[in-house]
Amino acid sequence: MYDAPNPATEVGQQDIKITAKDVQVYYADTHAIKNVNVDIVDRAVTAFIGPSGCGKSTFLRCINRMNDTIDICRVEGDIRIDGDDIYDKRVDPVQLRAKVGMVFQKPNPFPKSIYDNVAYGPRIHGLAKNKADLDIIVERALRRAAIWDEVKDRLTAPGTGLSGGQQQRLCIARAIATEPEVLLMDEPCSALDPIATAQVEELIDELRRDYTVVIVTHSMQQAARVSQKTAFFHLGDLVEYGDTEQIFTNPKDERTERYVTGRIG
Amino acid sequence: MTDASQSGAHHRGSLLTVDARTRKRNAAEARFRYYGMAAILTGVAFLVVLAVSIVRSGLPAFTTMAVEVEFTLTAEQYADAEGQLFKTRAYEGYFNAAFEQQLQDRNVQAGFDPEAVNRIIGNTGATLRSFFLENEDLLGQPVTFNLPTSSRIDGYFKGRLLRENVTDSRFLEVSDLDLADELAEAGIIQSKFNWTFITGKDSGVDNPGGAGIGASVIGSFFMMLVVLFLSLPIGVAASIYLEEFAPKNRITDLIEVNISNLAAVPSIVFGILGLAVFIQFAHLPQSAPLVGGLVLTLMTLPTIIISTRASLKSVPPSIRDAALGVGASKMQAVFHHVLPLAMPGILTGTIIGLAQALGETAPLLLIGMVGFVAREYPDGLISGFMDPNSAMPAQIYTWAARSDGAFYEKAWGGIIILLVFLLAMNIIAILLRRRFERRW
C-alpha cells in the first residue's frame, strides 16, 4: 500500500520553494494554526494530513492568501515563496494567485463551456496574444490534465455537464492554464469515486515534474501513494513533517503514530 | 441487541390496525389540509369577485355610443362658412340640414329638433370645422363621421342612466331619449370601440365622453424611464458593494437594517420627502414625471437592493473561489461570474419593483400629479419629463373622485388598462427568468 517512490533519492537536494515561519492563524478568537514552521520542496508533492478541523486546509489557503476573503481571519508570521514574503504590503494577492494555483474540494467549473473554463485564466492574465495562441494554451492545459481526449470533440459543451472526475480534472486544467509554479489542492478527490480518484492521483504524480504540489487529504493511503513529503497536523499544530515513507513507517511523534495507525482521528 | 426474553415487553401490536395515537395524528393532518384548502378557496373567491367586478364595471368604458353620419361639405359652403362671423354655427347649420335630410331618407319618424340633436351629440360645428381645416382636399366628397354622443345619452344606452330618473334640463330632455331610441333603431347611433379612451387626454369635468387615459400612460412611461435608469444601476451597484466588497461591521449592519426598514416605509412618506427635497428645495417643476420618477426611484430602491442581494447570495461561493483561485481580481470574479449568474433574479426583482412603482398613487398626490393634469400630450422628450402630466393610477384616482357616473366607468376602465400593463410586466419577468436561468 505504501508504494510511494523512494523520497530519499527523489527529493534529495532539491530547492525549497515555500518556507513558512511561526505562522499563526486566528478566526476571530479561535487560534486555528499555532506556530507552524515548514519548508516545502520544489517539484515534489507535499501532503498535509490530519483529523478534521486540524487546520490543514486553513494553512493551505494561507499559501495563496485565499483566507483574505474571510473577514474574521487573521494571519501572522512569515510565508515566503522563492524568498518573497507573500504577506508583504506590496504583494498583490491577484498576482500571487496567478503564481499559486488552487484546486478545490468540490469540482467547481464555471457554468460556461469547457473551452472558456480553461481559457478564462489566460484571458484575464493576458497570456495569449490571439485566438490561436489561446487555443494552444487550452489544448496544452487539457492535455496535461489528462482530459483532452475525453473533451476535445465537445469543447463548447458546458463544463458542468461532465462527470465529477472529469470536472475535477477540468478544474486542474483550468488551474495549470495560467502557468502557476505552485499548485494547491484541497482534498481534490473527496467528492470522487475510486476510479476518478485513481485518475486524478495519477495526474498529480505527473504534475510533480513541473510544479510544486501541495495536497490536503483525508486519506492516508492517498498521501502515501502520491506524496514525497508529508506533514501531520493535529489541533492546529504541525506535529511532524518529513519524508512520506518515514512518517508512515517510522513516525517520531506518538500522536503521528496513533493517527497513521488509525487510533486517533 | 435486546435480550430475547425482553422482546415481549416491546411488542407493538399488529401493523394492520392503526393505533389511537397514529389515528389522532392522521386526523390532525387531514384537518390541516382542509384548513389550507379553505384558505386557498377564500383567496380564489375574492380574486374572482374582484376580476368579475372590474371587468363588468370597466368594459363599458371601452365602447362609446356614436352617431354615424355621412356628410358632404362643398367648397362653396366651406368658403361661405369661413367668411361668417360665427363660423362654427355656420358649419352646424350645414350639418343639421344634411342630418335632417338623412333622417327623412331613413324614415325616422320623430320630428327633427336642432336643439335635441345638439343635446345628443354636442356641438358639432367645432369638430367639423377643425376636421375640414385640416383636410381641405376632402371638400365636396362624402365623409363618414362618428360623432360620440353626450355622456348622458351614452349612459342611457349602457344602462347607467334610467329613463324614469331623467328630468328635463338644458342637458337632456325626456323627449330626446325618444329621438335617441329611434336613431339607435335606424342604426344611426351605434356602439363603437372607444379609441379616445385609450389614446385620449383627460377632459374637463363636464365632458366625460372625451376623457382618455393616453396622456397619463405617457406620463407613467416617462416616470418608469426615470425609475429604471436610476434605480437599476444605483440599486445593483449598492447591492454588489454591500454583498461582495463591504467589510462586515457595525456600519454595514446598520445600513443593511435600514434598507430593510426603508422597504417598509409608507409610500406617502416618500411623497412628502419628494415634495420637500425635489420641489421646494431643488425647485424642480411640480407635477412633472421627472419628479414623480425620482420619488418612485426612492421607493423602488430598497426592493431592488433586497432582491439583488438575495440573488447574489444565492450564487454558490465555490464560483467565487474558482475565479479568485485562477487569479481573478474580486471585481473580475463578480462581473465575469457572479453577476451573470445572479442576473435572472436581479431582473425579476427590478421588474417587480417597477410594477410596484407603476401602481403607486400616494406619493404622486403630494407632488401634484393628481387632478386635471393630463390634458396635454408632451411634445418631445424634455417636455415628457418636465411638463405637468399625470400617471395611470393618479388619473384613475382623479376620475373616481369626480361626480359624473361616466367618470366612474372610466376609472374602472383605467384599472383594466393598468392591470394589463402590470400583467405584461410580470410576464416579461417570467420570460427573462426562464431565458437566463442557468444551472450549475
Side-chain angles (χ1 to χ4, degrees):
Chain A
M1 190 176 278
Y2 299 142
D3 55 358
N6 185 355
T9 54
E10 286 259 333
V11 178
Q13 266 69 48
Q14 274 180 357
D15 303 332
I16 302 298
K17 184 74 176 173
I18 306 166
T19 52
K21 243 193 195 134
D22 302 330
V23 175
Q24 321 277 348
V25 180
Y26 301 88
Y27 286 118
D29 296 330
T30 317
H31 198 169
I33 297 278
K34 299 164 193 160
N35 243 343
V36 167
N37 291 287
V38 67
D39 290 333
I40 291 169
V41 177
D42 195 12
R43 288 170 207 274
V45 179
T46 303
F48 290 174
I49 59 169
S52 295
C54 67
K56 51 194 190 306
S57 285
T58 302
F59 182 68
L60 187 79
R61 291 167 68 94
C62 290
I63 300 174
N64 69 345
R65 291 183 58 174
M66 281 298 274
N67 282 337
D68 289 13
T69 58
I70 302 166
D71 278 329
I72 54 166
C73 180
R74 194 155 48 83
V75 180
E76 285 172 11
D78 196 53
I79 300 177
R80 288 173 186 275
I81 294 179
D82 296 331
D84 296 331
D85 179 5
I86 62 168
Y87 280 89
D88 192 286
K89 276 199 205 76
R90 287 166 295 179
V91 172
D92 189 313
V94 168
Q95 224 173 316
L96 170 71
R97 287 180 202 136
K99 188 168 170 165
V100 183
M102 187 156 191
V103 176
F104 298 85
Q105 185 171 0
K106 220 182 108 210
N108 55 354
F110 299 128
K112 295 173 186 272
S113 72
I114 293 171
Y115 183 93
D116 285 337
N117 261 284
V118 182
Y120 181 68
R123 266 195 197 123
I124 59 172
H125 295 300
L127 298 184
K129 279 190 284 296
N130 50 45
K131 176 83 172 80
D133 255 11
L134 195 60
D135 288 349
I136 293 169
I137 292 175
V138 169
E139 182 177 341
R140 197 171 54 207
L142 287 169
R143 276 188 193 282
R144 269 150 114 191
I147 194 181
W148 172 252
D149 288 333
E150 289 156 70
V151 299
K152 65 181 175 205
D153 297 326
R154 45 170 174 158
L155 290 175
T156 52
T160 41
L162 298 171
S163 74
Q166 288 173 325
Q167 286 190 16
Q168 195 60 300
R169 277 179 287 149
L170 176 63
C171 292
I172 294 173
R174 182 177 66 192
I176 58 186
T178 55
E179 299 291 338
E181 295 168 22
V182 178
L183 202 55
L184 306 178
M185 298 182 154
D186 190 357
E187 300 182 39
C189 301
S190 66
L192 304 185
D193 67 38
I195 294 169
T197 301
Q199 286 169 330
V200 171
E201 282 180 7
E202 204 175 314
L203 174 60
I204 292 170
D205 202 47
E206 286 286 308
L207 294 173
R208 175 161 63 93
R209 283 186 286 144
D210 303 309
Y211 306 97
T212 306
V213 180
V214 185
I215 176 171
V216 165
T217 176
H218 265 298
S219 150
M220 282 176 283
Q221 289 92 328
Q222 185 173 63
R225 281 196 297 264
V226 301
S227 70
Q228 286 75 53
K229 289 275 195 179
T230 297
F232 171 60
F233 285 80
H234 185 58
L235 301 176
D237 291 308
L238 176 62
V239 174
E240 192 169 350
Y241 175 56
D243 290 342
T244 300
E245 201 178 74
Q246 175 253 314
I247 295 280
F248 281 100
T249 54
N250 188 18
K252 296 194 182 76
D253 195 286
E254 195 203 341
R255 286 170 292 177
T256 316
E257 196 202 334
R258 278 165 53 196
Y259 183 70
V260 299
T261 54
R263 272 176 286 162
I264 56 169
Chain B
M1 290 287 184
T2 11
D3 267 331
S5 60
Q6 279 183 348
S7 66
H10 291 286
H11 190 64
R12 302 190 70 112
S14 167
L15 280 174
L16 297 177
T17 53
V18 179
D19 62 20
R21 205 182 159 74
T22 313
R23 206 177 301 127
K24 223 169 132 187
R25 250 190 313 207
N26 291 349
E29 189 175 315
R31 265 200 314 279
F32 180 76
R33 247 186 253 167
Y34 290 129
Y35 295 152
M37 280 197 282
I40 287 176
L41 284 179
T42 317
V44 169
F46 274 116
L47 200 66
V48 168
V49 169
L50 185 74
V52 168
S53 63
I54 287 177
V55 169
R56 253 188 42 197
S57 321
L59 272 189
F62 290 89
T63 57
T64 182
M65 302 307 290
V67 173
E68 196 184 77
V69 196
E70 205 179 83
F71 176 56
T72 311
L73 189 75
T74 62
E76 297 85 59
Q77 287 171 326
Y78 177 65
D80 170 53
E82 285 301 311
Q84 290 194 19
L85 184 58
F86 296 110
K87 299 183 177 67
T88 56
R89 173 113 7 129
Y91 281 98
E92 210 174 311
Y94 289 126
F95 174 79
N96 283 343
F99 192 39
E100 187 174 7
Q101 186 59 47
Q102 280 185 32
L103 294 190
Q104 275 171 13
D105 292 350
R106 295 212 209 175
N107 286 325
V108 175
Q109 300 300 320
F112 186 82
D113 174 9
E115 293 291 311
V117 170
N118 198 302
R119 284 191 295 267
I120 289 176
I121 51 179
N123 194 337
T124 50
T127 319
L128 294 174
R129 181 173 182 238
S130 56
F131 177 81
F132 283 110
L133 282 181
E134 275 182 27
N135 302 291
E136 284 194 19
D137 50 317
L138 291 176
L139 285 172
Q141 294 172 29
V143 180
T144 306
F145 286 93
N146 275 304
L147 302 166
T149 56
S150 77
S151 77
R152 282 174 180 78
I153 295 294
D154 188 54
Y156 170 66
F157 282 111
K158 287 178 185 169
R160 208 165 57 225
L161 182 75
L162 300 175
R163 185 180 273 265
E164 50 266 35
N165 294 343
V166 175
T167 49
D168 287 355
S169 73
R170 69 186 174 92
F171 301 114
L172 188 68
E173 289 181 9
V174 181
S175 58
D176 297 344
L177 297 178
D178 301 329
L179 176 60
D181 279 338
E182 281 195 51
L183 289 175
E185 217 164 283
I188 294 173
I189 289 185
Q190 289 174 355
S191 177
K192 298 268 165 153
F193 189 79
N194 189 359
W195 282 108
T196 317
F197 176 62
I198 292 177
T199 60
K201 303 167 267 193
D202 193 13
S203 61
V205 283
D206 50 354
N207 177 22
I213 201 165
S216 55
V217 170
I218 302 289
S220 277
F221 172 74
F222 277 103
M223 285 202 318
M224 288 305 111
L225 278 188
V226 176
V227 176
L228 181 65
F229 283 102
L230 286 179
S231 65
L232 184 61
I234 296 176
V236 171
S239 330
I240 290 178
Y241 178 75
L242 282 175
E243 199 57 46
E244 306 283 340
F245 294 94
K248 301 273 172 286
N249 57 29
R250 231 175 259 163
I251 298 172
T252 45
D253 278 354
L254 195 74
I255 291 174
E256 208 164 301
V257 169
N258 279 301
I259 287 173
S260 311
N261 285 343
L262 274 183
V265 167
S267 53
I268 197 140
V269 176
F270 286 106
I272 206 156
L273 177 79
L275 175 64
V277 174
F278 298 128
I279 293 178
Q280 287 169 353
F281 177 73
H283 293 292
L284 289 172
Q286 278 184 32
S287 313
L290 174 69
V291 178
L294 287 171
V295 171
L296 293 179
T297 299
L298 293 180
M299 226 195 66
T300 315
L301 264 179
T303 316
I304 290 187
I305 291 179
I306 289 170
S307 66
T308 303
R309 291 191 63 183
S311 45
L312 287 174
K313 232 179 237 159
S314 70
V315 175
S318 66
I319 295 292
R320 293 178 183 81
D321 281 349
L324 294 178
V326 294
S329 69
K330 204 149 189 188
M331 204 173 126
Q332 286 172 326
V334 169
F335 281 89
H336 294 168
H337 301 289
V338 178
L339 203 55
L341 289 175
M343 218 51 204
I346 295 174
L347 289 177
T348 314
T350 306
I351 290 175
I352 287 174
L354 281 183
Q356 224 176 46
L358 183 68
E360 197 57 66
T361 325
L364 306 182
L365 298 174
L366 290 168
I367 54 169
M369 293 186 79
V370 171
F372 182 31
V373 194
R375 56 185 172 233
E376 295 295 343
Y377 268 111
D379 50 329
L381 218 55
I382 294 175
S383 148
F385 285 118
M386 302 299 275
D387 283 354
N389 202 337
S390 189
M392 274 188 275
Q395 183 66 69
I396 292 166
Y397 172 79
T398 307
W399 283 338
R402 288 183 187 162
S403 56
D404 196 319
F407 278 119
Y408 184 70
E409 180 186 286
K410 301 264 164 183
W412 284 100
I415 284 171
I416 291 182
I417 290 189
L418 183 63
L419 287 179
V420 166
F421 275 98
L422 292 179
L423 211 64
M425 288 172 85
N426 279 303
I427 288 172
I428 291 172
I430 292 169
L431 291 181
L432 282 177
R433 179 171 272 275
R434 290 256 174 89
R435 170 84 182 71
F436 284 106
E437 202 151 61
R438 260 188 274 192
R439 296 175 202 292
W440 52 78

